[in-house]
């Protein structure tokens, strides 16, 4: 109901002219920078492992590009930086960015941007490029789906109550996360499971990287990574090079998508510098843009980036 009311409000604001009126008289001259993650095929939206807030369908993205062309001058991040440096920011500037380096951006969004001459910046987590590895939130969702499937099989084959595997160990790592994971596994409501999984991911982000890794390892105990269908979800370097030749800029998003304030300073420096070097080696051009994984940073991290 909340989403429906929001949608109705947006329709009214747009078609009544309120949006255009606001843009016309707004004194805010700062450019709009859009942060996308994934653009999936229309038929694959509901089965995507990523959080729904990170995903748009191909048709929705095409519609948004069409709107942006009418309402803004869509430019590269480099041009926006130049505007800011010269303190002469034009009104209605917009830049398009994508975090992580998902392959479906190449499959479903790149052609739309190329046809419409829309520049964009894609931030790469270089340790995933060309591999079948998953980011930990997607792996978490994958483990939960498989654990829930095992529970349903068990419940159909025996009358015994389900006992949560490794509950004591999970509780010792983080009680709130463990209890939430159990609720997700036992829930039959898909909408509720999605909402709770989002909440669990945000909870796990507050743990140290070692605690989070231990929680994931414990939750997935007995799950063989080789049993997972080895699909490449992330770009490879050939796809990156092709896009780089056609109006797409590439920036760094670390090597492993580490939340930088949670790791040591030495590790953070390596994440920043090694990812930059890898992009420059494969593209033979400077890497001048960086996006903080999860938006997490502090003053020390900021200084490291300036130095790099």
């Amino acid at each position: 109901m909340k989403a429906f009311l929001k949608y109705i409000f947006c329709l009214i604001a747009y078609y009544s002219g309120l949006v255009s009126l606001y843009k016309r008289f707004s004194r805010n001259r700062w450019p709009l920078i859009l942060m996308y993650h994934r653009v999936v095929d229309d038929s694959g939206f509901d089965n995507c492992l990523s959080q729904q807030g990170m995903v748009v369908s191909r048709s929705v993205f095409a519609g948004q590009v069409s709107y942006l062309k009418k309402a803004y001058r869509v430019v590269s991040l480099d041009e926006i930086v130049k505007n800011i440096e010269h303190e002469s920011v034009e009104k209605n500037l917009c830049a398009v960015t994508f975090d992580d380096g998902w392959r479906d951006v190449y499959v479903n969004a790149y052609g739309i941007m190329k046809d419409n001459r829309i520049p964009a910046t894609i931030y790469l987590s270089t340790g995933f490029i060309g591999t079948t590895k998953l980011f930990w939130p997607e792996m978490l969702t994958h483990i939960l789906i498989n654990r829930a499937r095992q529970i349903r099989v068990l419940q159909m084959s025996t009358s015994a109550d389900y006992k949560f595997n490794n509950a004591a160990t999970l509780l010792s790592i983080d009680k709130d996360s463990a209890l939430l994971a159990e609720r997700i596994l036992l829930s039959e409501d898909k909408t509720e499971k999605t909402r709770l999984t989002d909440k669990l991911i945000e909870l796990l982000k507050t743990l140290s990287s070692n605690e989070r890794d231990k929680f994931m390892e414990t939750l997935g105990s007995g799950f063989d990574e080789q049993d997972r269908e080895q699909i490449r979800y992330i770009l490879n370097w050939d796809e990156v090079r092709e896009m780089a030749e056609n109006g797409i800029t590439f920036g760094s998003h670390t090597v492993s998508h580490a939340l930088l304030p949670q790791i040591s300073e030495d590790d953070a420096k390596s994440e920043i510098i090694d990812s930059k070097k890898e992009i420059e080696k494969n593209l033979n051009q400077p890497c001048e843009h960086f996006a903080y994984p999860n938006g997490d940073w502090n003053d020390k991290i900021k200084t490291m980036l300036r130095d790099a």
Side-chain angles (χ1 to χ4, degrees), residues 30-87:
W30 288 105
L32 174 69
I33 301 178
L34 298 176
M35 181 186 67
Y36 292 95
H37 288 76
R38 303 189 64 180
V39 180
V40 300
D41 185 84
D42 290 19
S43 61
F45 187 87
D46 291 335
N47 297 318
C48 182
L49 291 174
S50 298
Q51 295 171 272
Q52 288 190 358
M54 288 175 51
V55 185
V56 296
S57 68
R58 177 186 172 89
S59 60
V60 166
F61 181 74
Q64 291 176 352
V65 166
S66 177
Y67 170 75
L68 290 173
K69 284 189 68 178
K70 297 173 185 175
Y72 294 88
R73 189 165 78 86
V74 186
V75 300
S76 67
L77 276 181
D78 288 321
E79 186 163 345
I80 285 179
V81 169
K82 288 177 183 176
N83 266 258
I84 294 172
E85 287 176 342
H86 291 98
E87 298 182 353

Side-chain angles (χ1 to χ4, degrees), residues 237-251:
W237 287 113
D238 286 339
E239 292 160 345
V240 170
R241 281 187 282 269
E242 179 188 337
M243 288 192 285
E245 293 171 359
N246 290 279
I248 307 299
T249 303
F250 289 89

